[in-house]
C-alpha cells in the first residue's frame, strides 16, 4: 500500500514489518529504493514505475544488504544499481540469498525472477555525490546496523533515505557494532544541519516531515544504546521490558533486544554468567 505520496515521492509500505520501498521522481530520473517484500507488493511498485517512467533512466538504490531489502532486485533488470562499497564486498552473499529462499519456502512464495545478489553499477562512497542532471544524490556510509549501510540525500527534493535507522517503531538493531552505530547517529545529526531535509524515510515504520521528530528519533536511538551499554557495564538488569516496553510489537522485538545485549557484551569483553 502507499503510505505517503507527493508529486515527487511515493513511499510504499509492505504488510510485513512495515518495510518501506521508496520511489523518487525527478525530471532527470526515477530512483527506486529497496523494493520489497511480497510478489504482489513488488509488482505494484513495478507497475507504478513503468506507468511513470516515460523513458527516464532508472536507478535502484540498496540501503544495505539485509535480505528483506534486496529481494526485489530481480524485478528491475534494466536499472543501474547503487550501493556502498562494503555492500559489494559482502563476505557471504550466498547466506543472504539463502535467507530469501528460506522465507519463500516457508510461506510457499513464488517469484517471477531469479534470486541473485545485486550487481552494483555505481559505488556510493562516503561524502561523495552523484549528479544526474539537476538531481543530486549525496551519500554517507552508515555502519552499525550492518557494516554496509548507506545514507542517501536526494536533492533538490530534500529526502533523507535512512535505511534501517531512525525508525519510529523500532529501536536500534545492532548487527555490526554499537560504537559504529553511535557514530552513524552522530552523522545523521550533521546531515540534518548540512542539508535542507523535508522528508525522512526509514526502512521500517512511518515517514516524517517534522524536524523535531527527526531529531527525537536520533536521540531515542542514542539513549537506548548508551543506557544498555551502561547497564551491562554496571551489571544491572537488561530485561527487555525496561528498555523496550513502550514499543508496540514487543513480543517479536524481545529477541532483537537480547541479540543486542549479546552483541554489546562481546564488544565490551564481558562474559555472560
Amino acid at each position: 500500500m502507499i503510505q505517503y505520496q507527493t508529486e515527487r515521492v511515493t513511499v510504499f509500505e509492505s504488510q510485513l514489518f512495515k518495510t518501506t520501498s521508496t520511489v523518487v521522481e525527478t525530471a532527470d530520473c526515477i530512483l527506486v529504493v529497496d523494493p520489497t517484500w511480497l510478489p504482489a507488493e513488488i509488482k505494484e511498485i513495478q507497475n507504478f514505475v513503468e506507468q511513470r517512467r516515460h523513458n527516464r533512466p532508472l536507478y535502484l538504490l540498496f540501503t544495505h544488504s539485509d535480505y528483506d531489502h534486496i529481494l526485489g532486485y530481480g524485478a528491475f533488470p534494466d536499472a543501474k544499481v547503487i550501493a556502498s562499497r562494503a555492500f559489494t564486498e559482502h563476505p557471504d552473499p550466498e547466506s543472504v540469498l539463502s535467507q530469501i529462499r528460506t522465507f519463500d519456502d516457508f510461506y510457499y512464495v513464488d517469484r517471477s525472477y531469479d534470486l541473485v545478489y545485486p550487481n552494483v553499477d555505481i559505488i556510493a562512497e562516503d561524502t561523495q555525490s552523484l549528479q544526474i542532471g539537476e538531481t543530486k544524490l549525496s551519500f554517507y556510509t552508515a555502519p552499525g546496523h550492518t557494516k554496509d549501510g548507506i545514507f542517501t540525500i536526494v536533492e533538490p527534493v530534500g529526502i533523507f533515505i535512512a535505511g534501517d535507522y531512525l525508525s519510529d517503531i523500532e529501536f536500534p538493531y545492532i548487527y555490526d557494532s554499537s560504537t559504529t552505530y553511535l557514530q552513524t547517529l552522530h552523522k545523521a545529526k550533521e546531515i540534518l544541519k548540512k542539508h535542507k531535509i523535508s522528508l525522512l524515510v526509514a526502512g521500517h515504520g512511518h515517514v516524517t516531515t517534522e524536524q523535531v521528530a527527526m531529531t527525537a528519533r536520533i536521540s531515542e536511538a542514542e539513549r537506548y544504546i548508551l543506557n544498555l551499554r551502561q547497564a551491562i557495564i554496571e551489571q544491572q538488569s537488561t530485561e527487555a521490558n525496561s528498555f523496550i516496553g513502550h514499543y508496540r510489537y514487543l513480543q517479536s522485538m524481545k529477541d532483537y533486544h537480547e541479540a543486542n545485549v549479546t552483541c554489546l557484551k562481546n564488544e565490551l569483553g564481558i562474559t555472560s554468567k
Side-chain angles (χ1 to χ4, degrees), residues 122-143:
I122 300 169
I123 294 178
E125 301 281 12
D126 190 37
T127 72
Q128 299 300 302
S129 61
L130 173 64
Q131 195 77 39
I132 309 167
E134 297 299 315
T135 304
K136 183 179 180 181
L137 307 181
S138 298
F139 305 114
Y140 299 89
T141 53

Side-chain angles (χ1 to χ4, degrees), residues 16-205:
L16 301 180
F17 303 101
K18 297 193 185 299
T19 314
T20 61
S21 301
T22 302
V23 179
V24 182
E25 304 174 60
T26 73
D28 309 295
C29 65
I30 290 185
L31 176 69
V32 179
V33 183
D34 294 350
T36 197
W37 260 100
L38 301 173
E41 294 173 332
I42 295 173
K43 186 63 177 177
E44 180 184 5
I45 300 169
Q46 275 183 303
N47 292 340
F48 180 86
V49 169
E50 286 308 310
Q51 290 168 5
R52 305 229 179 181
R53 187 171 177 181
H54 304 309
N55 296 317
R56 283 176 287 182
L58 179 63
Y59 292 83
L60 185 57
L61 170 67
F62 291 113
T63 60
H64 61 297
S65 63
D66 278 352
Y67 82 96
D68 56 321
H69 290 260
I70 71 157
L71 53 73
Y73 168 58
F76 299 90
D78 64 333
K80 293 182 179 179
V81 176
I82 305 170
S84 71
R85 182 172 296 280
F87 183 101
T88 69
E89 298 171 348
H90 194 289
D92 189 8
E94 183 56 36
S95 67
V96 182
L97 299 178
S98 178
Q99 288 179 288
I100 301 174
R101 296 188 192 103
T102 298
F103 172 85
D104 286 354
D105 285 358
F106 189 84
Y107 291 105
Y108 303 169
V109 173
D110 297 314
R111 301 187 187 274
S112 61
Y113 49 83
D114 293 334
L115 294 175
V116 294
Y117 191 79
N119 180 44
V120 177
D121 301 295
I122 300 169
I123 294 178
E125 301 281 12
D126 190 37
T127 72
Q128 299 300 302
S129 61
L130 173 64
Q131 195 77 39
I132 309 167
E134 297 299 315
T135 304
K136 183 179 180 181
L137 307 181
S138 298
F139 305 114
Y140 299 89
T141 53
H145 171 63
T146 62
K147 292 181 182 295
D148 54 19
I150 197 82
F151 285 156
T152 303
I153 313 303
V154 185
E155 296 171 314
V157 192
I159 306 169
F160 183 173
I161 299 170
D164 277 4
Y165 295 91
L166 311 186
S167 171
D168 64 330
I169 63 168
E170 291 180 347
F171 54 91
Y173 292 2
I174 307 168
Y175 304 151
D176 175 27
S177 150
S178 67
T179 299
T180 55
Y181 203 116
L182 288 169
Q183 291 169 350
T184 290
L185 292 175
H186 177 74
K187 190 176 291 188
K189 291 181 186 178
E190 296 303 309
I191 287 171
L192 293 182
K193 294 177 184 177
K194 180 177 180 180
H195 298 273
K196 186 177 180 179
I197 303 300
S198 58
L199 178 69
L200 170 67
V201 183
H204 301 269

